[in-house]
Amino acid sequence: MVATTIFATAFAPDGEYLVAATHDGVVACWALKYTLSSDWWTNENTRDVTSPTPAFSFQAHNCAIYSVVFAGSEDNPILVTGGDDEIRCWKWLDMLSAFGVQTQGLLTSHTFSLNLKPSVVLQPTDFLSSRGITAAAAETNGLAVSADGTQLYSASGDSRAYLFDLSGGRGTCTAAFEGHTDMLHCIAKRPKTEQIVTGSEDGSVRIWDIRSHECTTVLNPSTGQYGGAKDPISASSAGWIGCVAVDEGDNWLACGSAARCLSVFHLSSVTLTAAMPLTAPPSSVLFFEDKVLSAGAEPRICHWKRDGSFISSTPVSSPCLYSIAVNPKNRVLISAGVGSQLDVFINHTTRSFSFQL
């Protein structure tokens, strides 16, 4: 029997829901406004449920889902799932409406299975065909969204990143970012700059100009070496890049490599400022306030200062993590990976409880 694996998580824009995507194509959702409230733990119907199950779930893909993100506007959020087959967009308010009808707005610990269909299916194959390129569909390993929610960026297994225009309910692929020599694992959008950052199996991190679709900078995280797209920057001997993140101020870039190292770059000067040794390859990294949090193939979350100083580690339930995320509305930290539990940390240092898939 294959163990449940949760590859990706995301918080809804209002911070009231948590979404998780699994190895077998299921998307599950927990209603945080219930499970994080005192009512959940005192209500006679739920107070004995120490590991809350999803409020609802549905079969989003018939294969693994590696990435999930919210796009669209605040009034019309879109849940985007990237799988082994294609990228699918789901109308979030339709999901909540279906959930609300079945629960009649009542506090519940029961899981509802919803029958939903995507509003848009995204594939870059037509765009590639228009350029005379024949390519089979490749897995989507990472997703990022523009600040206005209309532009979606994907990290693909065919060594390319893609740009999709979601405005007006469309899903048109408008550009490809080409230059990596192996599959992409991760992608991030710089919040204040018209650039994206990608990490690849080829051992490099690339920074791309969104308007020209050209690579402007290539980084080797293991050495700190950098240059332009055509400069002879050697591939990293450290192996693949598993995760990238940019801070809210758009000043710092963090990336994790298979060499069990977490690197931090100052973006404006393209300077390697810290290299943190890890005991396992990282698969997820994020900035939170003045700290960097990382997680990977070990049962803990590491907390670092941006200068590379180690602060602490937090034990988790899973032996191997693929996703960590912080809810911007209430600062709650969650972790997920191998296994059916998602750990919840209200104070980031001790597990408060776990959601059960």
Side-chain angles (χ1 to χ4, degrees):
M1 182 176 179
V2 178
T4 297
T5 299
I6 300 167
F7 284 120
T9 58
F11 289 101
D14 60 8
E16 294 189 351
Y17 297 89
L18 169 66
V19 170
T22 72
H23 76 285
D24 54 359
V26 171
V27 167
C29 176
W30 288 263
L32 303 181
K33 59 184 177 182
Y34 295 146
T35 54
L36 293 181
S37 71
S38 59
D39 289 342
W40 178 273
W41 304 101
T42 58
N43 186 287
E44 63 179 10
N45 295 321
T46 57
R47 62 190 177 195
D48 295 329
V49 183
T50 56
S51 297
T53 53
F56 64 85
S57 63
F58 66 100
Q59 190 74 43
H61 295 248
N62 291 319
C63 56
I65 302 173
Y66 298 119
S67 49
V68 60
V69 72
F70 278 90
S73 65
E74 186 173 337
D75 294 333
N76 186 26
I78 299 169
L79 176 66
V80 185
T81 54
D84 238 337
D85 51 356
E86 59 197 11
I87 300 171
R88 297 181 177 182
C89 300
W90 312 83
K91 293 184 177 180
W92 179 243
L93 297 184
D94 287 354
M95 289 188 195
L96 296 187
S97 176
F99 167 57
V101 167
Q102 296 204 50
T103 62
Q104 299 180 343
L106 300 176
L107 182 66
T108 177
S109 61
H110 184 71
T111 298
F112 290 96
S113 181
L114 303 182
N115 183 18
L116 301 171
K117 293 184 178 180
S119 57
V120 177
V121 175
L122 308 178
Q123 278 280 16
T125 48
D126 289 343
F127 173 81
L128 295 174
S129 297
S130 70
R131 301 174 60 196
I133 301 173
T134 302
E139 74 273 17
T140 299
N141 294 315
L143 293 168
V145 182
S146 62
D148 64 2
T150 64
Q151 306 297 303
L152 176 72
Y153 309 92
S154 69
S156 177
D158 65 3
S159 79
R160 300 179 181 93
Y162 293 101
L163 167 59
F164 295 90
D165 181 9
L166 301 181
S167 60
R170 296 174 296 174
T172 307
C173 182
T174 60
F177 302 83
E178 299 175 290
H180 281 292
T181 59
D182 211 330
M183 65 184 296
L184 273 60
H185 288 294
C186 46
I187 191 167
K189 169 68 175 68
R190 293 190 62 179
K192 299 181 180 180
T193 309
E194 289 299 296
Q195 292 180 329
I196 56 172
V197 182
T198 54
S200 169
E201 184 80 12
D202 66 18
S204 71
V205 172
R206 287 179 176 250
I207 301 176
W208 308 80
D209 184 281
I210 292 173
R211 293 156 296 193
S212 68
H213 315 142
E214 298 292 331
C215 176
T216 61
T217 308
V218 183
L219 303 174
N220 182 328
S222 63
T223 65
Q225 186 183 18
Y226 71 92
K230 298 182 180 180
D231 291 336
I233 304 302
S234 61
S236 173
S237 60
W240 47 262
I241 305 300
C243 51
V244 294
V246 179
D247 76 309
E248 288 185 0
D250 208 12
N251 297 313
W252 304 96
L253 164 68
C255 52
S257 73
R260 302 179 182 181
C261 182
L262 187 67
S263 303
V264 176
F265 286 84
H266 183 244
L267 282 167
S268 61
S269 63
V270 200
T271 303
L272 177 65
T273 59
M276 299 86 120
L278 304 171
T279 57
S283 54
S284 186
V285 62
L286 60 84
F287 287 91
F288 176 72
E289 297 180 342
D290 60 346
K291 298 184 287 294
V292 181
L293 276 61
S294 66
E298 59 180 344
R300 65 172 182 162
I301 300 171
C302 293
H303 304 250
W304 311 85
K305 293 182 180 179
R306 294 188 186 183
D307 64 5
S309 303
F310 179 72
I311 301 173
S312 63
S313 64
T314 303
V316 299
S317 300
S318 172
C320 176
L321 293 178
Y322 287 106
S323 179
I324 54 174
V326 173
N327 189 335
K329 299 297 185 180
N330 58 19
R331 299 161 47 99
V332 168
L333 169 68
I334 63 96
S335 67
V338 175
S340 58
Q341 287 190 319
L342 296 86
D343 290 341
V344 180
F345 306 86
I346 294 176
N347 63 9
H348 292 201
T349 58
T350 305
R351 183 171 64 92
S352 303
F353 64 94
S354 297
F355 290 125
Q356 182 68 43
L357 197 59

